[in-house]
Amino acid sequence: MIPGAGSGALPRAAGLSSEEAALRLKMVGANRLPQVRPVPRWRKLLAEMTHFFAIMLWVAAGLAYMAGMPQLAVAIVVVILVNGIFAYIQQERAQRAAARLRELLPAIVSVRRDGRIVKVHTTELVPDDVVVLVAGDRVPADLRLVLAAGCSVDESMLTGESEAVAKVPGDAVLGGTFLVNGEAEGIVTVTGSGTRLAEIAALTGKVEAPPTPLALELQRIVRITATVALGIGVLFFVLSLLVGISWRDAFLFAIGVAVALVPEGLLPTVTLSLAVGAQRMAQRNALVRNLEAVETLGSTTFICTDKTGTLTQNRMNAVEVWTPAGLLSIIGAGYGPEAEVTGKGTGEARHLSTAALAASAGRAVLHNGQWIAEGDPMEAAIDALAVRLAGPGQEPDEPEVSHRFAFDPRRLRESAIVGTTLYVKGAPESVIPLCGESSAERALEMVDQMASHGLRVLAVAERSLPGLPGASFKLEKVEAGLTLLGLIGLHDPPRAEVRLALEAARDAGIKVAMVTGDHAFTAAAIARETGLIGSPELVLEGHTLPEDDAVLTALLDRDGVVISRVTPEQKLRVARLLQRRGHVVAMTGDGVNDGPALQQADIGIAMGLSGTDVAREAADLVLLDDDFATIIAAVEQGRATYANIRRFLTYHLTDNVAELTPFVIWALSGGRFPLALSVLQILALDIGTDLLPALALGSEAPSKGTLKRPPERRHLMDRALMFRVFGLLGPVEALFEMTAYTAVLLGAGWRPGAELPVSDVLMAASGAAFTTVVLAQLANAFACRSASTPPWRLGWATNRLLVWAVLAEVGLLLAFLFVGPIATLLGHAPPSPGGLAVALAAIPAVIVADWLYKVFRHRRAGTAGTARAVARPAIPPVPLRQVRSKASDPPGPGKRGSNHGPRSGNSHD
């Protein structure tokens, strides 16, 4: 039954005038939800200084002060303040970036104003506006329906009820719900804070979102590092007591070591890195709805893309019309009225185009001197076809539709009644079986012929009715006994940049499959034209997919497979099977029924131009230009963001190795070898070396080789990172640090085991060790820019933020060494010439050591790759599976008129 499909409709409302709408907007205000009262900035800043680690530092500062060490207490407070302010600034920048991204989300609604349908921003809606809705649209305010054709509404976000609710004229529809099926028009009753959605939003704003997987992993890293820091502090407390140091000094000594190693700045730096990545994606037309999706994108191993609008331009053009009288060819550009028409059956084709126009809502309109699609591009192409066939200077009559039966993804067709005639258009397999047998066989042959040329094919039919249907009727009885008028072949040219984007995806180790609701021949033709289809060709159809999951998974897990005629359930099954295979799946979709598959995929990708609100709500990424190449650009930025997080970790942990080494040597010597660095110096190193360079590394742009290697599939702290930190960069820094310290002592005549030299020598030696760590970290910052390429090949100044950070680091070093009060507080002096020479030598030493590691790693990876290639067994070719379907080109599941259906790398550049 189709409630509200026709005679039960209320009189159509004319809508407001633009002047009246503007006046009401001033009176009632914008149609937006009331803003949740933000947390005051002072409370946010206070929170950054009162979390677990900060409280631990406050306690340490208090103990240091009570024990008579005001210098250490002040230094710890400075660390708390600097890290707290730094974290606050990072979080604020990330939140502002996320807010700017949310503003880019499409928020346009169709309304009747001044007697015509126009598009306005949802915030401009006012009471008594007449809103025009199609399947997939979000209801922008509380409405009372005046027209409803086959409507059902998803109210689950308000009521929790999963089943869509049928709606008829006169029913109320609440803002925030989604139109699942049909078409509707409604009068706005309440906007903004007066809606039911506003009441729920006020409650929702009080609920904190749970932490994301990436945040949980980062918190795990912080907990591990903090536990290690506390453990080392306890160990040094015990060792200090064993070598005869008083318990008070030993306790303060241990507290200072633990404080210096707590990674307070890790989480805010990572958050900012994600925000920077999201902003860069937005600049490339990829809108991230969830910051953590930035990192997940970099791990993508399989992309399931639809066809229309993503691989193609979504600029439909009717180029062929077949009727029983013959085949007609139409050559025209865009949606304009001019075209060259050749072939047989012009009169029959003219009637066919008028019938298809009656069953269509979209139109071609002249805007700023250019013909564009208003509504569905396919229906705009049908409108242009009707104008072209009407002849020069002629306009086809606008059909007066009394009943409209909207597109249904189950019926795969839509229809309309004009007078007492029913006009139907839709997928050939859904329309032709409802017609007589006389021309069906020839029509099916033409369907396959058109589809093999890459055309999208629609069938058009009609039926004379004995009278108008009553208020309650069965639609399947109305859409029966049809007379086939013919077929329309529409061409949607592929995007020029798709072929290069597909090559980039393959270079990046990402498999790509086409998953579409289109005809197998049409999908295969576009796949060949874009270079997507693999060799040997594998084209599957939804109704022939194997029921055995293992068999289907084996067929799917290859590059270039084409899956046609898929239903939403099959699309969901494809995503699940690929995930079970170990893939990180990105799935595109634009229709109402694509929501489950988008939510199931690791990365759901919705269309910003042609997609529905339902799809965008379920997606992690919205393509503002609907372009497949944008997906690859987003993957590249996702990989770069993941690499930036690892860069910061490498940089931070290397510094910790150099800071801990003097204490280890002091403890192993039983206190007989002087301590090269004090706790205050370590705190100064954390402030002077970690903050700004870490921020600069977190915003590193993607390297040239980002898409030239397989996806990353490892933890942030893996064996490669740990070896680079604790087996290479850290030991090199520590070696030169202790060499500089020892060189100054030996130059002053001190020998191991002898009495400690005078304080001036110790201060100069400590200054040499301090300088060495700073200069080594300077070199380390450039080394950490890549795990495979030396900095001179990257270009020393290509990351300008890093250059400024390093200059600031040098400035702080000079202040720490030569500003008397600061140097006295830290307990060091400028190094001797010998100590300075060793410190300066640490710069090339770190660079060279890192370069040799990268060369060795590159050669080892090449040898391992060759060995794997030799050992890999040959894969037998898969025979072509292409099933001829007696159907073509429906407007695919999910959207009226849509053509859609339903880390192993060795680098972290």
Side-chain angles (χ1 to χ4, degrees):
M1 302 288 290
I2 307 294
S7 59
L10 301 177
R12 169 170 286 176
L16 302 173
S17 66
S18 298
E19 293 77 10
E20 178 65 20
L23 181 61
R24 295 193 182 197
L25 185 62
K26 291 182 179 179
M27 294 174 58
V28 302
N31 176 40
R32 59 168 56 95
L33 296 177
Q35 297 293 317
V36 178
R37 188 174 182 179
V39 178
R41 293 185 177 181
W42 67 268
R43 286 183 58 184
K44 292 181 180 180
L45 181 59
L46 182 63
E48 295 297 345
M49 298 182 183
T50 55
H51 54 72
F52 170 74
F53 294 134
I55 291 175
M56 183 181 72
L57 299 181
W58 284 115
V59 172
L63 291 174
Y65 182 80
M66 288 187 295
M69 290 284 291
Q71 299 92 339
L72 179 58
V74 170
I76 295 175
V77 170
V78 169
V79 169
I80 297 172
L81 294 176
V82 170
N83 280 312
I85 293 172
F86 175 72
Y88 170 77
I89 293 173
Q90 304 290 63
Q91 294 287 0
E92 284 292 298
R93 288 185 61 187
Q95 290 178 9
R96 285 197 299 270
R100 285 194 295 268
L101 294 178
R102 285 193 294 270
E103 292 173 359
L104 295 177
L105 274 174
I108 303 298
V109 63
S110 296
V111 298
R112 289 190 180 276
R113 286 186 183 171
D114 302 318
R116 62 191 183 92
I117 297 178
V118 297
K119 293 184 181 298
V120 300
H121 198 277
T122 55
T123 58
E124 299 175 11
L125 280 182
V126 296
D128 292 333
D129 254 330
V130 177
V131 178
V132 181
L133 301 171
V134 296
D137 284 350
R138 175 196 284 271
V139 180
D142 289 358
L143 310 176
R144 178 177 59 85
L145 296 182
V146 294
L147 292 176
C151 285
S152 59
V153 176
D154 178 6
E155 299 179 341
S156 59
M157 63 288 300
L158 297 181
T159 65
E161 176 60 47
S162 59
E163 291 293 327
V165 180
K167 296 292 182 179
V168 298
D171 283 351
V173 180
L174 300 179
T177 59
F178 292 96
L179 191 66
V180 176
N181 289 312
E183 299 173 346
E185 292 190 18
I187 297 177
V188 176
T189 57
V190 181
T191 62
S193 59
T195 62
R196 172 61 178 157
L197 179 63
E199 299 176 13
I200 298 176
L203 297 176
T204 305
K206 300 176 182 178
V207 180
E208 294 186 4
T212 63
L214 178 62
L216 290 175
E217 181 176 0
L218 290 171
Q219 290 172 7
R220 180 183 64 85
I221 293 174
V222 170
R223 286 196 302 269
I224 292 173
T225 309
T227 301
V228 171
L230 291 174
I232 291 175
V234 172
L235 176 63
F236 277 104
F237 174 71
V238 175
L239 291 176
S240 300
L241 293 177
L242 293 177
V243 298
I245 296 179
S246 68
W247 72 268
R248 183 184 69 88
D249 291 340
F251 180 74
L252 293 174
F253 178 66
I255 286 290
V257 172
V259 165
L261 298 179
V262 171
E264 305 92 343
L266 176 60
L267 287 177
T269 301
V270 170
T271 301
L272 182 63
S273 182
L274 293 173
V276 170
Q279 285 181 304
R280 288 176 175 172
M281 286 184 183
Q283 292 169 0
R284 302 175 77 170
N285 292 317
L287 175 60
V288 177
R289 299 184 68 248
N290 178 356
L291 282 183
E292 277 68 27
V294 174
E295 186 271 337
T296 308
L297 269 166
S299 305
T300 300
T301 61
F302 208 111
I303 298 175
C304 296
T305 179
D306 50 15
K307 179 178 71 67
T308 302
T310 308
L311 299 176
T312 64
Q313 298 177 22
N314 200 20
R315 298 177 61 185
M316 296 289 181
N317 192 8
V319 296
E320 289 184 1
V321 176
W322 176 85
T323 65
L327 183 65
L328 209 62
S329 176
I330 302 96
I331 302 176
Y335 300 106
E338 298 82 12
E340 178 184 347
V341 181
T342 59
K344 299 179 180 180
T346 304
E348 291 80 356
R350 185 179 298 116
H351 178 57
L352 175 148
S353 67
T354 303
L357 185 63
S360 303
R363 293 293 184 265
V365 297
L366 187 63
H367 181 71
N368 294 332
Q370 184 178 3
W371 289 94
I372 62 172
E374 185 179 82
D376 190 280
M378 179 201 69
E379 296 184 342
I382 292 174
D383 183 26
L385 172 67
V387 174
R388 291 167 178 174
L389 294 180
Q394 301 294 319
E395 287 284 341
D397 294 333
E398 185 68 27
E400 296 184 3
V401 177
S402 60
H403 294 65
R404 184 178 298 281
F405 309 107
F407 174 81
D408 188 318
R410 297 173 184 83
R411 293 163 48 234
L412 294 179
R413 59 183 179 271
E414 57 187 317
S415 55
I417 297 177
V418 179
T420 57
T421 304
L422 175 74
Y423 296 111
V424 181
K425 84 171 193 298
E429 76 268 28
S430 72
V431 175
I432 294 176
L434 304 178
C435 304
E437 297 292 333
S438 58
S439 57
E441 184 175 350
R442 176 59 180 154
L444 291 173
E445 292 177 358
M446 289 303 302
V447 167
D448 285 349
Q449 179 179 318
M450 288 181 171
S452 66
H453 297 156
L455 300 183
R456 177 180 181 183
V457 186
L458 292 175
V460 183
E462 67 178 4
R463 176 197 173 185
S464 294
L465 301 174
L468 292 178
S472 297
F473 58 91
K474 291 186 177 181
L475 184 57
E476 58 268 23
K477 291 186 176 181
V478 177
E479 293 179 339
L482 305 178
T483 299
L484 182 66
L485 298 179
L487 307 170
I488 302 176
L490 300 108
H491 181 240
D492 185 11
R495 294 180 180 269
E497 62 274 16
V498 165
R499 182 175 289 273
L500 290 177
L502 286 167
E503 292 176 0
R506 284 162 180 150
D507 288 343
I510 300 172
K511 297 178 181 179
V512 183
M514 180 192 292
V515 182
T516 178
D518 216 339
H519 189 284
F521 289 0
T522 305
I526 295 298
R528 293 188 196 101
E529 194 171 352
T530 58
L532 181 145
I533 202 163
S535 179
E537 294 186 358
L538 179 62
V539 182
L540 306 172
E541 288 198 57
H543 68 275
T544 65
L545 294 178
E547 294 184 4
D548 187 287
D549 286 349
V551 175
L552 180 57
T553 302
L555 290 173
L556 294 176
D557 193 9
R558 65 186 68 240
D559 185 43
V561 63
V562 175
I563 314 161
S564 62
R565 290 293 193 232
V566 292
T567 64
E569 294 78 11
Q570 291 166 341
K571 199 168 184 178
L572 180 62
R573 183 186 177 202
V574 167
R576 286 175 174 168
L577 291 180
L578 289 173
Q579 287 173 323
R580 290 179 192 172
R581 190 83 162 189
H583 284 290
V584 178
V585 179
M587 175 78 72
T588 70
D590 66 352
V592 178
N593 294 327
D594 288 331
L598 296 182
Q599 289 181 327
Q600 175 66 38
D602 299 280
I603 292 291
I605 304 174
M607 304 299 110
L609 294 177
S610 61
T612 61
D613 292 334
V614 174
R616 286 192 284 265
E617 193 72 17
D620 303 290
L621 184 74
V622 177
L623 303 183
L624 299 179
D625 57 1
D626 292 7
D627 192 348
F628 178 82
T630 303
I631 301 176
I632 306 304
V635 169
E636 180 183 36
Q637 184 58 56
R639 291 190 178 187
T641 302
Y642 176 86
N644 288 346
I645 297 173
R646 288 175 59 88
R647 289 183 178 104
F648 167 74
L649 281 174
T650 304
Y651 181 82
H652 176 77
L653 294 176
T654 301
D655 191 31
N656 284 354
V657 173
E659 292 170 348
L660 273 179
T661 299
F663 295 92
V664 173
I665 293 177
W666 172 86
L668 292 176
S669 69
R672 290 186 293 273
F673 191 90
L675 188 61
L677 294 177
S678 67
V679 173
L680 288 176
Q681 285 174 298
I682 291 179
L683 295 177
L685 285 171
D686 285 343
I687 295 173
T689 65
D690 273 0
L691 292 183
L692 294 179
L695 177 61
L697 288 172
S699 59
E700 184 80 27
S703 65
K704 293 181 180 179
T706 299
L707 292 178
K708 296 293 184 182
R709 61 176 184 272
E712 302 284 359
R713 302 188 69 184
R714 52 185 170 175
H715 293 294
L716 287 172
M717 291 180 64
D718 60 0
R719 285 186 296 178
L721 185 147
M722 301 296 279
F723 174 78
R724 192 178 180 201
V725 168
F726 298 107
L728 180 71
L729 295 176
V732 169
E733 284 194 15
L735 174 64
F736 276 81
E737 169 196 21
M738 298 311 299
T739 300
Y741 182 74
T742 306
V744 175
L745 293 179
L746 295 178
W750 177 82
R751 294 295 180 268
E755 292 292 328
L756 293 179
V758 296
S759 61
D760 290 345
V761 175
L762 286 176
M763 292 178 66
S766 185
F770 183 88
T771 303
T772 303
V773 175
V774 174
L775 296 182
Q777 279 293 90
L778 181 153
N780 187 32
F782 287 98
C784 286
R785 291 186 61 198
S786 172
S788 60
T789 306
W792 59 85
R793 291 183 182 171
L794 295 173
W796 295 100
T798 49
N799 185 338
R800 294 186 178 181
L801 282 178
L802 184 60
V803 173
W804 286 109
V806 166
L807 291 176
E809 187 177 348
V810 173
L812 284 173
L813 172 62
L814 295 177
F816 288 154
L817 289 176
F818 294 101
V819 176
I822 298 178
T824 302
L825 175 66
L826 296 177
H828 65 209
S832 65
L836 181 60
V838 176
L840 291 172
I843 297 177
V846 170
I847 296 294
V848 170
D850 183 67
W851 171 64
L852 291 175
Y853 164 76
K854 291 170 180 175
V855 170
F856 172 77
R857 193 169 178 225
H858 175 73
R859 291 179 178 176
R860 183 179 180 184
T863 304
T866 303
R868 285 194 298 268
V870 172
R872 185 179 297 118
I875 301 176
V878 178
L880 170 64
R881 289 193 174 196
Q882 187 163 0
V883 182
R884 289 172 61 91
S885 168
K886 297 302 182 183
S888 177
D889 263 348
K895 177 181 167 216
R896 178 180 55 79
S898 171
N899 201 27
H900 308 289
R903 306 192 195 237
S904 57
N906 58 8
S907 173
H908 60 262
D909 285 344

